[in-house]
């Protein structure tokens, strides 16, 4: 892919597609399969940078992962909760899910492990996860003492007990703890302090764990009790298409006046990001569910601005911000302050790039306010952030003269985009 990509406006987009597998589910299923007894087969998996660094790290820990069908089918030889490698140096790129999940997983081992990533990873906080693991008896620390990676784990199994963790930074911390907890030496109780962000991702984690034979009990997503010394069981697991990726195509239908069906994602999808379709419905689009798929049809009139809390579906906030460029009236996106610690400071980045198109965008404490209108073409910086590149590609198919710098970053989650 070139260093810069010019986009050409297109007529109304109509059609159907099945996006690649969910990144979030793929990496959760990989962790559960790696810890399981026996062999697991994951079908419909995502083959991307984030899943590749997860696979590479699991292999460095001595766990067998065989890639088949161009990486969309993964055969995992589970370790039965006993991590084979007594020492490993893991490089996770800029994959937040990988470093958070594997930091917790590594505490189950017997030995010394170091987890590191790209320079941006050294700015992404992980102190809350380290604190919770320490409360459960693990020996973990930030190598530089900054509360950010690199992370050092001196492992001798996870003792268990009670831990409190803040809910407003990243739900991935809680998901990592949940997946490791069943293999602790004693029962684990996790208490969430404050409001939990991205709640559907935690529900997703619990659902994936259940498919691999492990149960956790919770009330209100604020208190979780997990029995220790459980065992994951290997299984055949089908991964549904990525709902975050689907948002770009639904958004494209909305702004071009078209109609797009995403196959394999229906009302009962495991991923919370399916709710992005309802945001478009509020803006005037029509939703239809049939045959396990979801169709978005553009409104007959102009899109209208909305005021929406996207805390639960924050990975699609950038998509909605770009769709809002073409709406009548302002759109306010709330509840997404945690986007500042993603692959980029997404609130600042999106506001800056929206401004290049001639549409005013204002940062607020927990989100953005976007004035709708008629955006002009612009050269868009992506900050090496896949979601910014893919979101602004939507605008490039409407506004003439749009150019995306650094489009290669989409390989993180959607290489074929």
């Amino acid at each position: 892919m070139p260093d810069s990509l010019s986009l050409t406006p297109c007529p109304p987009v109509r059609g159907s597609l099945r996006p690649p597998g969910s990144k979030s589910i793929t990496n959760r299923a990989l962790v559960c399969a790696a810890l399981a007894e026996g062999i697991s087969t994951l079908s419909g998996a995502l083959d991307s940078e984030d899943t590749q660094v997860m696979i590479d790290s699991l292999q460095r820990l001595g766990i067998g992962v065989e890639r088949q069908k161009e990486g969309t089918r993964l055969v995992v030889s589970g370790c039965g909760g006993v991590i084979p490698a007594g020492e490993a140096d893991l490089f996770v790129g800029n994959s937040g899910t990988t470093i958070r999940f594997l930091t917790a997983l590594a505490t189950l081992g017997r030995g010394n492990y170091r987890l590191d990533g790209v320079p941006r990873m050294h700015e992404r906080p992980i102190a809350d996860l380290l604190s919770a693991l320490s409360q459960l008896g693990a020996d973990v620390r930030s190598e530089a003492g900054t509360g950010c990676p690199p992370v050092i784990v001196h492992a001798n199994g996870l003792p268990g007990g009670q831990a409190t963790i803040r809910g407003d930074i990243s739900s991935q911390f809680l998901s990592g703890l949940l997946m490791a907890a069943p293999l602790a030496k004693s029962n684990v109780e996790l208490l969430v302090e404050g409001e939990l962000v991205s709640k559907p991702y935690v529900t997703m984690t619990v659902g994936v764990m259940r498919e691999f034979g492990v149960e956790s009990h919770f009330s209100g997503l604020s208190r979780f009790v997990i029995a220790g010394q459980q065992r994951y069981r290997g299984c055949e697991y089908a991964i549904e298409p990525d709902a975050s990726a689907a948002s770009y195509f639904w958004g494209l239908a909305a702004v071009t006046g078209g109609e797009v069906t995403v196959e394999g994602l229906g009302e009962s999808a495991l991923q919370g990001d399916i709710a992005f379709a309802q945001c478009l419905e509020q803006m005037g689009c029509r939703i239809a569910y049939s045959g396990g798929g979801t169709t978005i049809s553009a409104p007959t009139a102009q899109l209208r601005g909305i005021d929406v809390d996207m805390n639960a579906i924050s990975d699609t906030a950038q998509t909605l911000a770009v769709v809002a460029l073409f709406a009548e009236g302002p759109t306010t996106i709330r509840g997404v302050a945690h986007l500042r610690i993603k692959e980029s400071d997404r609130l600042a980045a999106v506001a800056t790039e929206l401004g290049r198109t001639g549409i005013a965008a204002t940062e607020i404490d927990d989100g953005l306010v976007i004035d709708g209108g008629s955006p002009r073409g612009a050269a868009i910086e992506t900050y090496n952030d896949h979601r910014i590149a893919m979101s602004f590609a939507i605008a490039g198919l409407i506004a003439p003269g749009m150019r995306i710098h650094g489009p290669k970053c989409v390989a993180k989650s959607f290489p074929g985009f």
Side-chain angles (χ1 to χ4, degrees):
M1 190 176 289
D3 293 334
S4 183
L5 187 65
S6 293
L7 300 175
T8 303
C10 66
V13 174
R14 301 181 184 278
S16 64
L17 77 156
R18 185 183 180 96
S22 163
K23 181 186 76 168
S24 300
I25 297 178
T26 298
N27 271 352
R28 285 164 172 78
L30 277 167
V31 169
C32 294
L35 293 173
E37 295 178 337
I39 294 176
S40 297
T41 301
L42 313 181
S43 59
L46 174 67
D47 183 30
S48 72
E49 286 182 0
D50 272 19
T51 56
Q52 289 165 6
V53 295
M54 173 67 83
I55 291 169
D56 177 72
S57 294
L58 291 173
Q59 291 171 334
R60 289 176 184 273
L61 290 170
I63 296 162
V65 183
E66 180 185 350
R67 298 172 70 254
Q68 300 177 354
K69 295 185 177 180
E70 298 181 334
T72 62
R73 176 183 169 94
L74 303 173
V75 180
V76 184
S77 300
C79 69
V82 181
I83 296 174
E87 185 175 3
D89 197 343
L90 310 179
F91 180 78
V92 303
N94 199 14
S95 175
T97 54
T98 301
I99 198 163
R100 292 158 183 170
F101 294 174
L102 293 189
T103 294
L105 179 148
T107 65
L108 302 171
R110 300 288 190 277
N112 301 309
Y113 312 99
R114 182 178 185 272
L115 299 90
D116 196 8
V118 299
R120 170 63 181 170
M121 189 63 76
H122 299 168
E123 302 171 353
R124 301 181 68 178
I126 199 169
D128 289 275
L129 175 59
L130 302 183
S131 172
L133 288 168
S134 296
Q135 293 172 57
L136 297 177
D139 183 356
V140 293
R141 63 182 176 86
S142 163
E143 184 178 66
T146 60
C148 298
V151 172
I152 302 296
V153 180
H154 299 297
N156 189 29
L158 185 63
Q162 185 185 86
T164 300
I165 187 164
R166 287 173 57 189
D168 63 344
I169 303 298
S170 173
S171 66
Q172 292 173 2
F173 296 161
L174 180 56
S175 288
L177 292 167
L178 285 169
M179 288 187 285
L183 298 178
K185 297 174 184 177
S186 62
N187 296 348
V188 172
E189 181 181 17
L190 301 174
L191 304 175
V192 179
E193 189 177 72
E195 187 69 15
L196 178 63
V197 299
S198 303
K199 292 178 182 177
Y201 286 90
V202 175
T203 305
M204 175 197 299
T205 301
V206 171
V208 174
M209 291 168 61
R210 185 179 298 119
E211 292 296 319
F212 285 84
V214 162
E215 291 289 343
S216 59
H217 303 278
F218 59 92
S219 56
L221 294 181
S222 60
R223 177 177 178 268
F224 296 79
V225 178
I226 307 98
Q229 300 189 43
Q230 295 188 65
R231 291 290 181 266
Y232 286 100
R233 297 192 304 270
C235 67
E236 294 189 2
Y237 186 77
I239 295 166
E240 65 188 29
D242 194 296
S244 303
S247 74
Y248 310 120
F249 300 99
W250 287 327
L252 186 58
V255 301
T256 64
E259 181 177 283
V260 170
T261 299
V262 173
E263 302 165 0
L265 283 175
E267 289 181 279
S268 60
L270 187 61
Q271 300 162 82
D273 281 358
I274 188 73
F276 177 78
Q278 296 169 12
C279 296
L280 294 179
E281 185 178 41
Q282 293 179 53
M283 299 182 84
C285 294
R286 300 183 303 281
I287 307 177
Y289 301 102
S290 62
T294 301
T295 300
I296 290 292
S297 303
T300 54
Q302 187 176 3
L303 292 162
R304 57 178 177 267
I306 60 173
D307 189 323
V308 60
D309 187 325
M310 300 190 75
N311 181 278
I313 56 171
S314 60
D315 274 349
T316 64
Q318 301 79 216
T319 317
L320 193 73
V322 173
V323 172
L325 283 173
F326 302 92
E328 181 179 3
T331 293
T332 301
I333 297 172
R334 304 181 186 277
V336 292
H338 56 288
L339 289 182
R340 297 190 185 280
I341 60 166
K342 294 288 189 174
E343 285 83 344
S344 66
D345 178 342
R346 286 180 174 163
L347 295 183
V350 170
T352 298
E353 301 312 309
L354 291 175
R356 295 185 197 276
T357 72
I359 300 296
T362 306
E363 291 182 61
I364 57 177
D365 286 345
D366 66 341
L368 295 166
V369 179
I370 303 108
D371 291 346
S374 298
R376 62 172 181 259
I380 300 298
E381 298 294 337
T382 56
Y383 307 85
N384 199 33
D385 189 328
H386 57 135
R387 300 218 181 275
I388 292 177
M390 291 187 281
S391 295
F392 277 90
I394 296 172
L397 298 182
I398 295 292
M402 194 73 73
R403 176 176 287 273
I404 307 293
H405 291 319
K408 296 177 183 178
C409 62
V410 302
K412 188 175 194 297
S413 63
F414 198 162
F417 182 81

